[in-house]
Amino acid sequence: MMNFKINELTHLFTQNTHNKNATHMAQYMKGHFQFFGIKSPLRKELQRLWWQGKSVKSESELVTLISALWELEKREYQYVALDLGKRFKKYLSPVSILFIQKLITTKSWWDTVDALASHFVGAVVYNYPETGKIMDEWIDHENMWIRRAALLHQLNFKEKTDSNRLFHYCEKQMHESEFFIRKAIGWTLRQYSYIDPKSVIQFVKDHESELSTLSKTEALKALKRKGLNQIIHL
């Protein structure tokens, strides 16, 4: 197996530490994580320099690499892991689901969970539709981030979205008081509104008294920008 030499990445990140940025970034993440203070454009350039001559050839290599990055303390390492997972998501299979679930529930916050949901979980379910049954379990999971991932896993499915599953999940979770769940409901409905605006409008109308204001606002945001106010009578 290839030696990815994460210490070389650490060297690059350490050389470019920016303490003021690190403080601001930690504050933005509610103090949950520590940072080198490297903003995204520079981080990606340093990541590109580190990754030259390297590649991933299998699912096991990808899992090993992401696991190693996930264990490290500074948040930028998790962002590198997410970028690599997106790049090589073709290797993800149903075997990876338990691994992805562990990532979702480790160092959990929206900045990692949303990418894991839409790119990692989404890639598996998209390529192996039978794994959608696992999402049917996740939507009732005791962990809020797992429920959020179930809501968001179809974000990139476009015309291949399973609308019955999407609306069913929203119905199951629309009484949830947690901000991140309410936001996810609105987001997944908004994303689907680009594909089937009428069905999203009808769903919001049918559940007007049950959906939170946040969920409704997010769900209809794109349609209102398109000037469809005349058919949104809420």
Side-chain angles (χ1 to χ4, degrees):
M1 183 175 293
M2 183 175 184
N3 183 354
F4 293 107
K5 296 183 179 178
I6 293 176
N7 62 311
E8 294 178 356
L9 179 65
T10 297
H11 179 69
L12 288 170
F13 280 176
T14 301
Q15 282 187 317
N16 288 273
T17 296
H18 193 296
N19 291 329
K20 186 175 180 180
N21 286 347
T23 298
H24 291 319
M25 293 163 92
Q27 289 173 343
Y28 183 67
M29 290 296 166
K30 307 296 185 184
H32 291 300
F33 312 104
Q34 295 183 30
F35 289 81
F36 285 104
I38 304 171
K39 293 186 177 180
S40 182
L42 177 57
R43 175 182 60 76
K44 290 185 177 182
E45 176 60 21
L46 296 173
Q47 180 179 319
R48 184 188 66 79
L49 290 172
W50 166 68
W51 192 250
Q52 286 180 346
K54 301 178 179 66
S55 187
V56 168
K57 302 295 186 181
S58 68
E59 184 173 23
S60 62
E61 282 193 356
L62 183 60
V63 167
T64 297
L65 175 57
I66 291 174
S67 295
L69 289 164
W70 218 262
E71 290 176 0
L72 298 174
E73 185 176 26
K74 299 293 179 70
R75 196 59 163 173
E76 285 89 346
Y77 290 119
Q78 281 85 69
Y79 297 156
V80 174
L82 292 173
D83 285 347
L84 292 172
K86 293 175 189 176
R87 182 173 177 176
F88 296 104
K89 60 186 176 183
K90 65 182 180 181
Y91 290 119
L92 296 172
S93 77
V95 175
S96 302
I97 285 289
L98 286 178
F99 168 67
I100 299 169
Q101 182 175 359
K102 182 179 179 181
L103 295 179
I104 291 171
T105 57
T106 306
K107 301 183 179 180
S108 308
W109 202 243
W110 62 265
D111 58 330
T112 55
V113 171
D114 294 357
L116 290 167
S118 59
H119 291 282
F120 288 50
V121 180
V124 175
V125 177
Y126 189 89
N127 292 322
Y128 305 90
E130 68 275 11
T131 58
K133 295 179 180 179
I134 299 173
M135 297 300 101
D136 295 340
E137 298 174 3
W138 281 21
I139 196 62
D140 294 316
H141 200 279
E142 62 182 4
N143 185 290
M144 180 270 292
W145 296 110
I146 295 294
R147 299 199 303 276
R148 181 174 168 98
L151 283 164
L152 297 179
H153 80 277
Q154 294 193 89
L155 280 183
N156 299 320
F157 283 24
K158 298 183 179 179
E159 289 82 3
K160 292 193 175 182
T161 300
D162 184 333
S163 59
N164 290 330
R165 178 170 275 140
L166 183 152
F167 291 129
H168 179 57
Y169 287 5
C170 290
E171 283 187 51
K172 278 201 157 198
Q173 293 297 309
M174 63 187 176
H175 300 293
E176 172 68 66
S177 61
E178 169 59 55
F179 168 85
F180 288 108
I181 296 297
R182 291 182 170 188
K183 185 82 170 181
I185 291 171
W187 187 7
T188 194
L189 289 171
R190 182 174 81 242
Q191 196 74 358
Y192 191 57
S193 75
Y194 293 110
I195 306 303
D196 189 352
K198 290 184 179 180
S199 67
V200 172
I201 292 169
Q202 190 60 54
F203 180 83
V204 174
K205 286 182 177 180
D206 290 344
H207 300 283
E208 180 181 1
S209 63
E210 299 159 294
L211 287 165
S212 68
T213 299
L214 174 61
S215 295
K216 290 185 288 188
T217 300
E218 289 293 323
L220 301 176
K221 186 181 292 185
L223 298 177
K224 289 184 176 180
R225 282 201 299 263
K226 289 183 177 179
L228 297 180
N229 290 307
Q230 69 274 17
I231 59 173
I232 304 174
H233 302 297
L234 295 177

